[in-house]
Amino acid sequence: MDVMGDKATLFESGRFVQPYDAEPARDELADMGEAGEETRLALAAQSGDAEAASVLGAMLLRRGDLDGAEPHLRAATAAGDRAAANNLGVLLHQRGYPEEAAGWWRIAAVAGSAAAAHALGRHHRERGDEPAAEYWLRQSAEQGHVLGAYALADLLEHRGDVGAEHWMRAAAERGHREAAYRLARALDRAAGHGDETGGDSGAAEAEQWYRQAAARGHRRAALQLGAILEKRGELKEAGRWYLTSAKDGEPRAACALGFLLRDAGDSESAAVWWLRAAQDGDGNAANALGALHAERGEPQTAERWYRAALAAGDDNGAYNLGLLCAEQGRTAQAEQWYRRAAYAGHREAANALAILLLQNGDTSGAEPWFSKAAEAGSVDAAFNLGILYAGRGEDEMALRWYERAAAAGHAEAALQVGIARLREGDEQEAERHLRCAAGGGSAEGAYRLAALLDARRPPEPAHELGEIVQEKTECEEWYERAASQGHRRAQVRVGMLAAARGDVVEAARWYRAAAEAGSRNGAFNLGLLLAREGSEPEAAVWWARAADAGHGRAALRLALVYARRGELAEGQRWADRAVALGPAEVSERAGRLRDALREELSA
């Protein structure tokens, strides 16, 4: 309720002038000045000055001296002072006489007091009489009373009346911080849903109102402003608003500030703010503390904070407890916590539970949880369902879930869709999905995309070894991306392309990387490169590795090497190996060589 009204002070009446050049006084001097003013007002009131009585009554009312204020307010009210009638209503409301208070507010409101009309409107709303409440609040608002405008907006918004925004805006423009915050929230929602008032302009206006409310000390507005700035990448200013809000007691701001500090590399300061937020009941902060202690190898402390998060109503606490137990090999407890979070609607917990059941051989138990998680939006669960159906040979259902996961950006799902489209002969769709897979970090996706593009390339002129050509095609760039991720076939292909360009050093580097990772083709090609460069003994070492891994051509090369050296028995042994490994062309050549070596040995 409002203390004072239109004729609130003697300063406004012009009969008491505050000196402009007065310097700030000490507390004692201020008290003395107030006491002196009170004495002067009391003397004026005793002489029948109604306005002095009104001001004196308001002064005593603000101080909480209801007994001292009442006679002065009644005297001023009897003399027709509408501000006194409003303040007398406030006094009676504080004493617990709401009906009598409403009577005085009505008198003041009828006399034109906007503050009294606001108080009377609030009184009627508290009693459920909305038509009367709207009438008096509208009277107050139309006279420019900021609290009246806000209360009217609140009432209209509650009823879903489109006029609410007008009055909320009016209150915000006059400095009402809660109105500014609520107006910003409304604009934010409109922008988020693409309403006519939404879009970039709506979001920009919302930010302005958040900023105005935050500047006036509204802690939730400061939190929202910080979130907007963080999303935009303006982290320094975002941190300042989070700090302002957190210091005012907003736990979500303290939590957000913690994440900002952690991302900046200051985990110690982050922990301080998370602790503060967690102690105020923020489950997200408690989970963050748990994760921090888990990273530090302190599982007991981590578990304590995860339980605190769960107690605060954050289902992530149960999910994180499941993860912690799973890491420790406590499978039964992990399943228990996953189930608890999954039943509460935690989609990733449902996916984790399904994986755990699948690992334990319970396929029928896993499938419903995968489905539940996927339907709730878990991309990983959709991909896992695809794997599940593919394993059963239900390719159509598998593809459906792969497509769903791929549409949400799952790289491996996009790869599976791309492979399926290649099988169907739809190269355009295959390329689109393979690009998504490759761009999402799938090495196999990058390799298959490169192979698809490679197959379309026109033949290039051959180059002599050592004649380096710098230009690289797009397919080679994708091969190189896959190769750099350890894809062995891509490494071999990059080596071959480098050799075709005449870049022997680059070719050898990639062949060696593939060979050392276990690629028999890489080992064979590295042997060829070394042999051409005159290092046949080293080439034989790599051919032997390739042949031992089942490479028929490598075995044939070794047979020829040993035959030239005169080591006929060893040559015959590798020729036998080449015949067995194939392919047909190699088997035929190796067979002729073996027969020749036999004849030589028996001669």
Side-chain angles (χ1 to χ4, degrees):
M1 299 302 174
D2 299 301
V3 176
M4 302 306 294
D6 303 294
K7 294 187 286 186
T9 66
L10 287 175
F11 298 126
E12 293 173 354
S13 71
R15 288 191 285 155
F16 186 91
V17 180
Q18 184 180 27
Y20 288 101
D21 58 350
E23 294 185 1
R26 296 192 181 95
D27 292 341
E28 294 84 354
L29 292 177
D31 292 341
M32 289 173 62
E34 188 174 333
E37 183 182 352
E38 186 176 333
T39 301
R40 288 190 294 275
L41 289 171
L43 291 172
Q46 287 173 6
S47 66
D49 188 331
E51 193 161 6
S54 176
V55 175
L56 179 59
M59 183 183 295
L60 295 169
L61 179 60
R62 279 199 303 270
R63 191 186 299 164
D65 184 0
L66 304 188
D67 292 334
E70 186 169 355
H72 295 296
L73 292 175
R74 285 191 181 275
T77 300
D81 189 298
R82 67 185 186 188
N86 174 52
N87 289 337
L88 181 57
V90 174
L91 184 146
L92 291 168
H93 188 272
Q94 290 182 11
R95 284 192 186 280
Y97 302 111
E99 296 305 325
E100 189 178 352
W104 290 111
W105 284 329
R106 182 180 295 277
I107 290 170
V110 170
S113 171
H118 165 248
L120 187 58
R122 290 284 301 275
H123 169 81
H124 284 299
R125 188 176 182 189
E126 287 168 3
R127 275 148 186 75
D129 188 352
E130 290 195 0
E134 182 181 350
Y135 174 81
W136 289 110
L137 291 175
R138 195 174 291 278
Q139 293 293 317
S140 175
E142 288 176 350
Q143 292 180 65
H145 194 275
V146 63
L147 295 179
Y150 174 72
L152 177 60
D154 185 65
L155 175 64
L156 295 175
E157 187 176 85
H158 172 70
R159 293 209 311 245
D161 194 308
V162 292
E165 184 181 339
H166 168 75
W167 290 110
M168 195 69 78
R169 188 180 293 275
E173 287 171 349
R174 292 168 193 160
H176 194 290
R177 68 182 188 183
E178 183 65 23
Y181 172 71
R182 289 177 63 176
L183 178 60
R185 294 291 288 168
L187 290 167
D188 236 353
R189 286 191 294 270
H193 288 90
D195 295 347
E196 290 181 3
T197 55
D200 294 339
S201 60
E205 188 182 1
E207 182 180 340
Q208 290 173 4
W209 288 114
Y210 280 134
R211 195 175 289 278
Q212 179 172 310
R216 285 184 159 84
H218 196 292
R219 69 186 193 186
R220 284 174 296 161
L223 169 64
Q224 292 295 331
L225 181 56
I228 290 169
L229 293 165
E230 181 182 3
K231 187 176 181 180
R232 205 158 61 211
E234 298 175 27
L235 303 184
K236 191 172 181 179
E237 189 180 358
R240 286 202 301 270
W241 286 112
Y242 282 148
L243 180 61
T244 298
S245 181
K247 284 182 175 179
D248 285 341
E250 177 55 60
R252 290 174 298 169
C255 181
L257 181 58
F259 282 112
L260 213 57
L261 289 165
R262 181 204 64 181
D263 293 343
D266 190 354
S267 59
E268 293 303 320
S269 296
V272 171
W273 287 105
W274 282 335
L275 178 61
R276 182 167 173 173
Q279 288 172 339
D280 286 339
D282 190 284
N284 195 22
N287 271 316
L289 277 174
L292 185 64
H293 286 288
E295 288 172 7
R296 292 173 176 174
E298 302 168 358
Q300 291 182 331
T301 308
E303 183 170 342
R304 179 167 63 84
W305 282 113
Y306 288 150
R307 287 181 182 274
L310 188 58
D314 192 325
D315 296 325
N316 275 317
Y319 174 58
N320 287 331
L321 281 166
L323 292 174
L324 191 66
C325 290
E327 287 174 3
Q328 296 172 341
R330 297 152 58 193
T331 308
Q333 291 94 328
E335 182 180 341
Q336 171 195 347
W337 289 116
Y338 286 150
R339 270 187 199 281
R340 180 165 177 175
Y343 278 121
H346 196 294
R347 65 190 188 190
E348 296 309 326
N351 181 56
L353 174 60
I355 292 171
L356 195 62
L357 293 170
L358 200 61
Q359 289 171 343
N360 292 336
D362 187 1
T363 307
S364 60
E367 185 177 345
W369 286 112
F370 276 139
S371 295
K372 186 174 182 179
E375 293 294 351
S378 171
V379 180
D380 287 336
F383 177 64
N384 290 334
L385 266 178
I387 294 174
L388 201 65
Y389 283 114
R392 293 176 184 169
E394 299 178 39
D395 293 338
E396 188 175 338
M397 284 295 293
L399 184 58
R400 173 189 158 197
W401 286 108
Y402 284 145
E403 285 178 329
R404 186 163 176 173
H410 196 289
E412 294 304 319
L415 169 63
Q416 295 303 320
V417 177
I419 291 171
R421 296 292 177 243
L422 275 176
R423 283 198 299 264
E424 295 167 1
D426 188 348
E427 283 197 8
Q428 187 174 356
E429 275 298 294
E431 181 181 344
R432 184 171 71 84
H433 282 95
L434 290 175
R435 284 188 183 279
C436 291
S442 169
E444 183 67 21
Y447 172 74
R448 286 181 179 266
L449 173 61
L452 181 63
L453 297 173
D454 202 1
R456 297 175 183 167
R457 285 195 311 154
E460 294 183 4
H463 300 281
E464 295 294 330
L465 284 177
E467 181 188 345
I468 300 175
V469 178
Q470 298 297 338
E471 293 181 7
K472 293 183 181 179
T473 61
E474 186 190 1
C475 75
E476 188 167 359
E477 289 173 358
W478 285 113
Y479 277 135
E480 286 188 0
R481 181 178 294 195
S484 65
Q485 292 175 260
H487 194 288
R488 294 184 304 182
R489 284 177 296 165
Q491 289 170 337
V492 172
R493 188 62 183 141
V494 172
M496 291 171 67
L497 290 170
R501 290 197 317 270
D503 192 343
V504 179
V505 175
E506 185 75 355
R509 181 172 75 86
W510 286 113
Y511 286 151
R512 191 178 297 275
E516 289 176 348
S519 168
R520 62 188 186 184
N521 284 331
F524 175 70
N525 287 357
L526 179 59
L528 288 178
L529 203 63
L530 290 167
R532 287 173 188 168
E533 293 296 301
S535 302
E536 190 174 85
E538 188 181 354
V541 172
W542 289 107
W543 283 333
R545 183 180 291 194
D548 287 339
H551 198 290
R553 285 189 172 83
L556 178 57
R557 288 277 177 174
L558 282 171
L560 290 168
V561 168
Y562 285 109
R564 283 198 300 271
R565 291 178 183 175
E567 300 179 31
L568 304 183
E570 190 67 10
Q572 184 179 338
R573 185 175 74 83
W574 283 112
D576 284 338
R577 179 73 171 148
V579 169
L581 292 174
E585 177 191 350
V586 170
S587 297
E588 183 182 348
R589 290 180 59 196
R592 291 199 300 269
L593 177 61
R594 178 188 58 189
D595 293 343
L597 291 174
R598 275 183 189 161
E599 289 178 9
E600 188 74 21
L601 283 169
S602 60

